[in-house]
Amino acid sequence: MECPKWRLGELEKSYSDLALKLHKPTNVKYTLMWGFGNTLHGCLPRGLGNESFLDLMRRLFGKTEKKTKPCSATVREELCHLRRQANRQRWTCWESDTAGVEVEVAMMSGRSWRFIIGNGAKGGEVKERLAELSGIHSTELSLLCGGVQLQDHEVLLATYAEALNKPPPQLQLLRIFRPSAISCSTDCTLKIWDLEKATCVNTLRGHGDGVMSLTDCTLRVWDLDHGICVQAIQVAEHPAFCLEFDHSARRILTGSWDNNLKLWDSELGVCVGTLNGHSGMVKAVRLHWPNHKAISGSCDGTLKLWNTERSTCTQTFEHGEEVWAVDVDWISSTALSGSMDASICYWNLKSGACLGTLVGHTDAVSCLALRWSEGQALSASWDKTVRLWGLPNAVCLAVLQNGHAVTTMSVDWVHRTALAGSPEAMRLWNFETQICEQVLDGHLDVERKDSATSPTTPVSVGHDEAVSFLVMNSPESFFSD
């Protein structure tokens, strides 16, 4: 029976069309006029009737909302269904390909699989077949043929014909940990990075302005397997500055320039709660959905502990100066707050007592990561350093000289690494050995100025402007604002 290859092309086109439709960028005219309206909102009197100038801008330049909009779960399901259909059609074509070769793929554990690969089969397509058979995500799989690692773009029968015609097993499969990260930038993009190779593997576009900035006014959920935006939530009345996402509960907590926090249902794309109480911009939030708790740090110099179920503030902690960073260990009811005045305080959330102060930074503290079970914390600052602290003795254990002001940081405590982002570059630090393992530069698309820091690190083109947010070893879906 002849293989219906036209069906494969049809499925792949449907998949591509859906992805393209979901990846349409934000209207630039709208975002520019929205920012202009926000700037003048507090300066001009109310307009016609009860309509403000901002309302006029929204009505004149706003987008027409669709009556029906699929939720992110529905979109991801449809994309995955199309991908599975296309893959199965491809494998059917391989089975009927007279020029194909039957191969056996073996793992060191003893598991093995046999199937036919078609004449035009590529390494990436074979990995997807093995991901289906093994239940392991394709990004964790590495294929070897004769001791040589196969590349995703290589046509196997064209490159390894002799080895593939030898007795089985012709291919070896390794499962490996691939450290990865996502960065957001003021150049309106998100980028996915392979931290081992220090290379950008994908760029996500869709925001109409710098990610985590004022004028775009959207929250977006991204499907990282497919590299596209599958949901855009309009937050025009609440331009988000910071967010926290509970992946299992599908809840997003945002802090905003409007001094409020909002809780969102990511599937329905609607606000399900508003937390009022701060008198300054909310710059940091943390969410613990199972116990309906959240904590926030604000430019009003306070931290607030919230009950998200009742939308009430249960405790206020007076740090003093503007709070720029917060982290929490919910099990021990301990929190850290970092301030514009370079100070770091740690708190007992039950008693409300300040347990101590970490002194050492000389400029604003922008990022914090707490590991109370190990009695340690990491902080990053505009003073161009990342510091490792011993708690509860408030001792600085290590100072990592980053070279540039750190604006964002993500920490992997298991592998003892921290990825620090700045307007110039991202640096991957091993804070156990105090060694910079990788430099991911190219944010300004210029030659590295400090190549002596890591002369063997490959240079990769990254963002065009400052990095504003980082996540290491991200989940399959991710939110940005």
Side-chain angles (χ1 to χ4, degrees), residues 120-315:
K122 296 181 180 179
E125 295 170 347
V126 175
K127 281 168 62 175
E128 289 198 24
R129 174 66 167 144
L130 289 165
E132 175 84 6
L133 294 170
S134 66
I136 303 171
H137 199 279
S138 60
T139 57
E140 297 181 15
L141 300 179
S142 180
L143 271 176
L144 302 176
C145 183
V148 179
Q149 184 177 7
L150 276 62
Q151 303 301 312
D152 288 351
H153 66 275
E154 290 181 308
V155 178
L156 270 61
L157 289 180
T159 310
Y160 303 96
E162 183 179 351
L164 292 175
N165 282 289
K166 289 182 178 180
Q170 300 97 324
L171 298 173
Q172 291 74 44
L173 181 65
L174 299 178
R175 184 176 185 177
I176 58 175
F177 171 74
R178 291 188 183 277
S180 59
I182 294 177
S183 60
C184 307
S185 169
T186 51
D187 66 2
C188 310
T189 68
L190 296 86
K191 289 183 180 288
I192 303 176
W193 301 84
D194 182 326
L195 294 183
E196 282 188 340
K197 299 178 180 178
T199 56
C200 174
V201 296
N202 201 2
T203 298
L204 310 180
R205 295 182 175 87
H207 282 286
D209 196 8
V211 184
M212 300 192 76
S213 70
L214 173 64
T215 58
D216 186 48
C217 297
T218 61
L219 294 173
R220 292 177 180 266
V221 57
W222 300 85
D223 187 308
L224 301 185
D225 277 341
H226 305 95
I228 59 165
C229 173
V230 294
Q231 179 92 328
I233 304 171
Q234 295 297 324
V235 291
E237 300 289 347
H238 175 81
F241 181 84
C242 55
L243 63 80
E244 179 88 341
F245 172 43
D246 187 300
H247 191 265
S248 58
R250 303 295 181 188
R251 288 292 186 272
I252 320 167
L253 180 67
T254 57
S256 173
W257 307 75
D258 65 7
N259 306 344
N260 298 325
L261 293 85
K262 285 185 180 290
L263 194 64
W264 305 83
D265 184 314
S266 67
E267 296 300 335
L268 301 177
V270 296
C271 176
V272 295
T274 301
L275 311 179
N276 300 305
H278 281 297
S279 59
M281 182 177 71
V282 180
K283 297 203 71 170
V285 293
R286 290 291 183 267
L287 173 66
H288 192 259
W289 180 252
N291 291 336
H292 301 286
K293 290 183 179 181
I295 196 167
S296 58
S298 167
C299 288
D300 63 12
T302 68
L303 284 82
K304 288 184 179 291
L305 186 64
W306 304 88
N307 182 315
T308 57
E309 192 173 30
R310 299 176 183 175
S311 297
T312 57
C313 175
T314 59
Q315 190 105 350

Side-chain angles (χ1 to χ4, degrees), residues 341-407:
D341 67 0
S343 66
I344 302 171
C345 296
Y346 59 106
W347 309 84
N348 184 309
L349 298 183
K350 291 181 178 178
S351 67
C354 179
L355 302 176
T357 304
L358 309 180
V359 179
H361 284 296
T362 58
D363 207 336
V365 177
S366 55
C367 319
L368 290 170
L370 174 63
R371 188 77 160 185
W372 188 260
S373 60
E374 297 181 13
Q376 292 187 341
L378 273 174
S379 63
S381 168
W382 282 23
D383 66 8
K384 305 180 183 180
T385 68
V386 176
R387 291 176 181 261
L388 177 66
W389 303 90
L391 303 174
N393 296 324
V395 177
C396 181
L397 303 176
V399 179
L400 311 179
Q401 297 293 338
N402 194 66
H404 300 285
V406 182
T407 55

Side-chain angles (χ1 to χ4, degrees), residues 323-343:
V323 177
W324 284 19
V326 172
D327 202 15
V328 188
D329 184 281
W330 295 105
I331 296 176
S332 64
S333 294
T334 308
L336 283 177
S337 61
S339 174
M340 171 186 177
D341 67 0
S343 66

Side-chain angles (χ1 to χ4, degrees), residues 408-441:
T408 182
M409 179 178 68
S410 182
V411 180
D412 181 352
W413 288 99
V414 175
H415 297 92
R416 310 294 287 176
T417 56
L419 185 61
S422 70
E424 288 76 19
M426 292 185 292
R427 284 176 168 77
L428 182 65
W429 291 93
N430 184 314
F431 53 84
E432 199 72 45
T433 62
Q434 302 182 36
I435 294 175
C436 177
E437 296 182 341
Q438 294 284 15
V439 177
L440 290 78
D441 58 1

